[in-house]
Amino acid sequence: MAGNNNTLRGKNIHTFMVSFPGQGHVNPLLRLGRRLAALGALVTFCAPEAAGASIRKNNSITDDSRPTPCGRGAIRFQFFDDDWDFNSPSCDDFRAYLAQMEAAGREKLPELIHKEAEAGRPVSCLINNPFIPWVSDVAESLSIPNAVLWIQSCACFSAYYHYHNGLVPFPTAQEPEMDVQLPRMPLLRHDEFPDFLHPRSPYVFLRDAILGQFRNLTIPSCVLMDTLDEIERDNIEYMSRVIGRPIRTVGPLCKELDLESECKALRADFFKAEDCIEWLDSKPPRLVVYISFGSVVHLRQEQVDEIANGLAESEVSFLWVVRPLPREKNWKPHVLPDGFLDMVGERGRIVQWSPQEEVLAHLSMACFMTHCGWNSTMEVLASGVPVMAFPQWGDQVTNAKFMVDVFKVGLRMCRGEVEGRVVPRDEVASVLEAVVRGPRAKEIRANALKWKKAAETAVAERGSSYMNMQCFVEEVASFDLVPN
Ligand code: UDX
């Protein structure tokens, strides 16, 4: 591994990253890994086999393979066996999986880390993302410094923190429609804060999983965030003071660096990305709507029908991701209305999975109909593309609120799954028309371009995220390494 005397103080840095096996978790952590490697670190990207199997199958990645050179450093992959049986009838029991992964990880991670030290690559820092707070315990038990990569907005971080510590009132079963006022934030209505925290949420297991990190927040030396100062500065400063450790914004992590093509091509998709760029090339500028609901949301079939019919009515070109079902879910696959594909012909393209960052960066993009997951949110802000906000649950409803009311980069299509409403075809067509050609379209596009510029500045040399990344690397280089 190459070393650089300025940024790494002549030390070899080995950051060992551990990811929860979700696409929305893996992507930002791998992007962070790429940046750390670019600065000279050796990065080991580690995840349980639940992710390993899909990642190996759909990308040119094998574990224990030769490290891929990346800038002045390199990245390698290592998956650990989580002993989870995907063929068992209870394979979609999330709580049971988390417990199983934790048991396996607590035993196997220290072994992997010892092996690294024996091979002359002692680990300088252990970085994890949410849902696996026990990684912080492993770091502490081995006396290895730890940092957490928070993969949502600072607004959501604040909501979880204040809820966990009982610092502000949240809706209760008796008062379900209470608004929530968090410091340094606009008032959030009862359906605008991360809805795992609402007593009516059916996703209590996800609330518990995400709050786990807040029980362990005293271990990490800092919290890295895939956001940028320019979009939530006050909140970031405030929350840094409240938690008593630095919050270092390093986003948008999706912004490409000038790296070797081999390193740029390093993706960890759980599904095979289909090539749709040639098709986009054949379309005029700003005329294609891109539709994707991330890696987890599964819409009702009636909603899929209405979106299809709305697209058919609107006469725009569209690229629509209709995902295959996850192997552990017993859901019915979506079907498109009879005759739909013939009716839209060359105007529409359906794929099972797309290279989303490339798609959003394409000149043909008119707007993005998105479920507002935080990765999609950062990716669309970084691309300057207007938004049709179609949130479902969790942080998505908060991200939609910020995109529509605070950043003003798009229009709202719904208020989340809790509404229990199917957005009808004429509304799909009319919001699409409004975002692309309506009276507010110009203003929306101008705002989108303003945030794109802010994102570019943040990651460029001397920008806020760039400086924070340098600061973090300096900090890791300054830790006194103990043999692990
Ligand atoms: C989950 C949660 O649902 C989300 O609310 C939370 O903020 C992060 O974890 P997910 O629903 O998958 O994430 O959405 P998102 O955060 O947008 O992440 C999806 C990732 O998959 C993005 O990086 C996106 O670029 C990528 N993607 C999606 C593709 O590469 N191709 C696709 O076709 C669809």
Side-chain angles (χ1 to χ4, degrees):
M1 179 184 62
N4 176 286
N5 289 335
N6 294 323
T7 49
L8 303 187
R9 300 190 189 166
K11 280 193 189 174
N12 282 342
I13 290 186
H14 181 184
T15 51
F16 196 100
M17 308 184 129
V18 188
S19 182
F20 172 79
Q23 189 78 68
H25 285 67
V26 163
N27 286 6
L29 196 63
L30 180 57
R31 289 166 182 164
L32 175 68
R34 224 180 267 162
R35 278 171 193 267
L36 292 171
L39 291 172
L42 169 66
V43 173
T44 299
F45 189 94
C46 182
E49 191 49 40
S54 314
I55 292 175
R56 270 192 229 98
K57 186 169 151 215
N58 296 303
N59 309 271
S60 51
I61 285 173
T62 51
D63 38 352
D64 295 329
S65 63
R66 132 196 107 76
T68 304
C70 224
R72 294 203 291 266
I75 302 189
R76 54 202 275 279
F77 287 79
Q78 194 155 57
F79 301 108
F80 68 88
D81 199 348
D82 45 19
D83 304 324
W84 190 245
D85 180 4
F86 274 99
N87 297 318
S88 104
S90 58
C91 69
D92 67 345
D93 181 339
F94 185 76
R95 270 186 205 281
Y97 175 67
L98 275 189
Q100 170 65 38
M101 180 185 33
E102 176 171 347
R106 280 185 185 271
E107 185 193 322
K108 288 169 188 171
L109 276 189
E111 289 169 10
L112 291 176
I113 290 168
H114 287 314
K115 278 195 188 141
E116 290 303 309
E118 280 162 20
R121 301 182 295 256
V123 171
S124 346
C125 180
L126 206 50
I127 306 180
N128 64 286
N129 49 25
F131 287 11
I132 46 173
W134 49 267
V135 175
S136 300
D137 296 331
V138 170
E140 193 177 44
S141 71
L142 298 174
S143 303
I144 301 174
N146 170 231
V148 171
L149 174 68
W150 179 252
I151 57 161
Q152 297 183 3
S153 67
C154 188
C156 291
F157 184 86
S158 169
Y160 289 121
Y161 182 87
H162 284 88
Y163 178 92
H164 176 67
N165 292 291
L167 298 174
V168 303
F170 276 80
T172 57
Q174 292 71 38
E175 268 193 273
E177 309 243 309
M178 182 198 286
D179 296 334
V180 175
Q181 183 64 69
L182 292 156
R184 317 292 161 104
M185 277 223 251
L187 184 74
L188 298 179
R189 292 192 46 198
H190 65 90
D191 55 2
E192 291 177 339
F193 63 86
D195 80 347
F196 300 155
L197 300 179
H198 201 288
R200 72 184 159 219
S201 170
Y203 305 110
V204 179
F205 54 100
L206 290 174
R207 179 191 69 201
D208 294 347
I210 206 150
L211 289 179
Q213 193 65 58
F214 292 84
R215 281 190 280 278
N216 246 0
L217 212 50
T218 51
I219 301 176
S221 64
C222 73
V223 177
L224 301 164
M225 272 194 199
D226 188 9
T227 180
L228 58 153
D229 283 1
E230 286 70 9
I231 62 172
E232 27 184 13
R233 188 185 313 275
D234 276 3
N235 205 1
I236 289 156
E237 282 169 10
Y238 177 78
M239 286 310 299
S240 270
R241 276 204 306 283
V242 170
I243 65 169
R245 60 207 58 237
I247 291 180
R248 297 198 202 286
T249 55
V250 289
L253 288 168
C254 60
K255 269 275 172 208
E256 270 305 344
L257 298 171
D258 191 17
L259 290 170
E260 299 88 334
S261 52
E262 199 186 353
C263 175
K264 270 191 186 163
L266 216 53
R267 293 176 63 94
D269 291 314
F270 289 17
F271 305 103
K272 188 108 198 138
E274 290 180 49
D275 183 11
C276 40
I277 302 299
E278 218 170 282
W279 182 83
L280 290 175
D281 286 343
S282 73
K283 300 292 170 201
R286 296 191 195 172
L287 271 185
V288 178
V289 52
Y290 172 57
I291 304 153
S292 160
F293 294 88
S295 65
V296 196
V297 160
H298 187 71
L299 296 178
R300 284 197 260 173
Q301 177 61 44
E302 302 92 290
Q303 185 61 79
V304 172
D305 294 341
E306 291 307 301
I307 292 175
N309 287 311
L311 290 169
E313 269 175 34
S314 77
E315 295 180 356
V316 295
S317 293
F318 62 87
L319 173 64
W320 186 0
V321 179
V322 182
R323 242 183 25 237
L325 294 180
R327 58 184 157 162
E328 72 279 19
K329 297 281 184 202
N330 203 6
W331 291 331
K332 276 203 172 142
H334 287 142
V335 284
L336 295 167
D338 265 356
F340 173 73
L341 290 175
D342 287 340
M343 192 198 325
V344 296
E346 252 308 285
R347 185 158 72 78
R349 175 90 196 258
I350 308 285
V351 291
Q352 294 202 324
W353 191 251
S354 82
Q356 182 161 303
E357 298 140 82
E358 257 186 278
V359 167
L360 286 172
H362 199 274
L363 276 180
S364 63
M365 282 295 107
C367 70
F368 180 17
M369 187 192 295
T370 170
H371 73 309
C372 310
W374 187 245
N375 294 291
S376 295
T377 300
M378 287 309 283
E379 290 160 17
V380 74
L381 284 180
S383 318
V385 172
V387 163
M388 298 167 75
F390 208 125
Q392 293 298 291
W393 37 254
D395 62 324
Q396 297 156 19
V397 294
T398 316
N399 303 337
K401 155 86 185 165
F402 274 77
M403 282 207 277
V404 173
D405 295 342
V406 181
F407 312 143
K408 299 189 191 316
V409 293
L411 298 179
R412 198 185 256 291
M413 299 199 65
C414 67
R415 302 194 62 84
E417 196 177 75
V418 67
E419 257 187 322
R421 183 175 83 98
V422 173
V423 180
R425 61 193 71 183
D426 53 331
E427 242 178 272
V428 173
S430 67
V431 178
L432 179 50
E433 179 66 20
V435 172
V436 179
R437 278 186 285 263
R440 287 197 51 209
K442 241 182 157 173
E443 172 208 330
I444 288 174
R445 189 163 271 275
N447 285 333
L449 291 174
K450 180 178 88 184
W451 296 119
K452 177 185 183 201
K453 183 94 189 83
E456 277 163 5
T457 311
V459 295
E461 207 165 332
R462 307 215 69 74
S464 52
S465 296
Y466 174 92
M467 295 309 286
N468 284 337
M469 190 72 82
Q470 295 283 336
C471 210
F472 175 65
V473 170
E474 286 282 337
E475 188 177 277
V476 175
S478 74
F479 294 139
D480 279 330
L481 260 194
V482 291
N484 41 66

